[in-house]
Amino acid sequence: MDECCAPHEPEGFDREFDARLARRLARQYRRDGLTASARLILEFAETVGLEGASLLEIGGGIGDIQLEALRQGAVRSTNVELSSAYEPEALRLLDESGLRARVTRVLGVDLARTPDAVEPADIVVLHRVVCCYPDFDRLLSAAAGRGRRAVVFSHPPDGPLTRLSARALNAVYSLTGNPYRSFAHSSDAMVAVLRRHGLEPRYRRRSGPWHVVGAVRA
């Protein structure tokens, strides 16, 4: 297992992804809309077809991608999140948009371990998340099992520099007593998981350090 962003215990997410980060992300979204990499995620979802679709986002944070998907025709969305720190800002954004009734937020569920905890959806999203979990095979297998039509995920560059950066970051986490850890997974290996579950990559884009891969049900 290579080292990009997972704690060994769920509480590490609350420490790394805290309320201060959630407030900053919400401010940025209100001011600028989606980030460039998140727009690529949404662009792929649009090619699959958002009108009347359901969305499942694993680790969706403040839920910005889901909000935009709902505005563009998705009928409902489910967010599975391990960090409780996002909830106040996520709910505030939902109330501001008037979309709270169409979103279900599930807290404290590790979908890789309990994939049946949520219902399947047409499109499954994992943005800046796969690198935040040690067992990418288990996580992407769970995502593929929940995705009726498509799965889209983002990951950092695949190479020695990313692995070196992850090791350096993890050394800092260890010294400061932070249980959070970073992982750099092979992009080819991640795509192979989706193919094994009947999903074929049809979309590959890059924005800054983030590579976006969209796969559709074969």
Side-chain angles (χ1 to χ4, degrees):
M1 181 79 57
D2 289 328
E3 295 171 311
C4 141
C5 331
H8 297 293
E9 299 295 337
E11 57 264 24
F13 283 97
D14 280 311
R15 178 167 174 174
E16 187 68 15
F17 304 106
D18 58 13
R20 181 179 180 181
L21 173 63
R23 289 192 295 270
R24 177 170 64 81
L25 292 175
R27 284 197 302 271
Q28 290 175 344
Y29 172 62
R30 289 186 180 96
R31 185 183 67 237
D32 304 323
L34 293 179
T35 64
S37 56
R39 286 198 297 272
L40 292 180
I41 297 279
L42 191 66
E43 179 181 272
F44 168 74
E46 290 169 348
T47 68
V48 175
L50 278 174
E51 189 66 35
S54 58
L55 200 75
L56 167 62
E57 186 167 8
I58 302 171
I62 60 170
D64 48 344
I65 293 175
Q66 298 160 60
L67 285 171
E68 295 301 321
L70 291 168
R71 287 173 176 141
Q72 294 190 33
V75 293
R76 67 180 184 280
S77 178
T78 299
N79 184 86
V80 179
E81 183 61 64
L82 285 174
S83 174
S84 61
Y86 288 118
E87 294 308 292
E89 292 301 326
L91 295 176
R92 193 170 293 120
L93 286 171
L94 286 172
D95 287 340
E96 290 172 6
S97 66
L99 294 170
R100 188 165 180 171
R102 293 163 61 187
V103 175
T104 300
R105 293 189 62 87
V106 180
L107 184 61
V109 170
D110 184 343
L111 201 67
R113 296 180 181 179
T114 55
D116 294 333
V118 297
E119 293 296 316
D122 294 313
I123 304 169
V124 178
V125 174
L126 306 95
H127 184 35
R128 299 186 294 191
V129 168
V130 178
C131 73
C132 297
Y133 202 81
D135 191 343
F136 70 87
D137 192 311
R138 197 171 185 179
L139 181 60
L140 285 173
S141 292
R146 299 290 89 187
R148 296 191 192 99
R149 292 160 55 191
V151 172
V152 57
F153 72 97
S154 61
H155 64 86
D158 186 2
L161 183 59
T162 299
R163 291 191 290 273
L164 180 62
S165 298
R167 292 189 186 104
L169 188 60
N170 288 338
V172 174
Y173 287 141
S174 180
L175 288 171
T176 58
N178 189 338
Y180 187 82
R181 292 294 182 270
S182 175
F183 295 84
H185 305 305
S186 162
S187 57
D188 288 342
M190 289 187 287
V191 168
V193 174
L194 297 184
R195 284 197 169 112
R196 196 172 74 231
H197 291 277
L199 291 152
E200 187 62 29
R202 290 285 187 266
Y203 179 96
R204 294 176 187 265
R205 299 286 190 277
R206 180 175 180 178
S207 175
W210 295 103
H211 296 247
V212 174
V213 178
V216 297
R217 185 69 61 189

